[in-house]
């Protein structure tokens, strides 16, 4: 499971203000082995709704359910909250 919200205090880098927060905005996922497999993505839109992009199909998804016990996300994208 990966956090939807993180702060720099959760990371190795320390900040002076402690006010920096980052929200998860996308994941890239891989299923299969090292020699082959399949990639797909979960992406948050401007309205904070989450979608799964899988080849030519796009469908709305429940990101909390997708991230629970997730072992397939290989890349996480976080956006700084300003």
């Amino acid at each position: 499971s990966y956090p939807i919200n993180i702060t720099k205090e959760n990371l190795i880098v320390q900040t002076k203000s402690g006010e920096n927060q980052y929200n998860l905005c996308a994941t890239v996922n891989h299923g299969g082995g090292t020699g082959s497999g399949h990639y797909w993505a979960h992406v948050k839109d401007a309205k904070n709704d989450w979608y799964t992009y899988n080849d030519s199909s796009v469908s709305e998804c429940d990101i909390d359910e997708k991230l629970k016990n997730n072992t397939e996300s290989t890349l996480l994208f976080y956006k700084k909250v300003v």
Side-chain angles (χ1 to χ4, degrees), residues 58-76:
V58 178
S59 58
E60 195 165 5
C61 71
D62 178 352
I63 194 63
D64 292 324
E65 188 63 33
K66 296 288 184 183
L67 295 180
K68 187 169 47 172
N69 302 317
N70 183 335
T71 60
E72 297 171 323
S73 292
T74 57
L75 185 59
L76 305 172

Side-chain angles (χ1 to χ4, degrees), residues 16-43:
K16 293 179 184 177
S17 68
E19 297 297 319
N20 294 315
Q21 182 177 341
Y22 298 81
N23 292 336
L24 184 67
C25 59
T27 70
V28 175
N29 312 286
H30 180 264
T34 55
S36 66
H38 181 72
Y39 288 93
W40 66 96
H42 303 301
V43 180

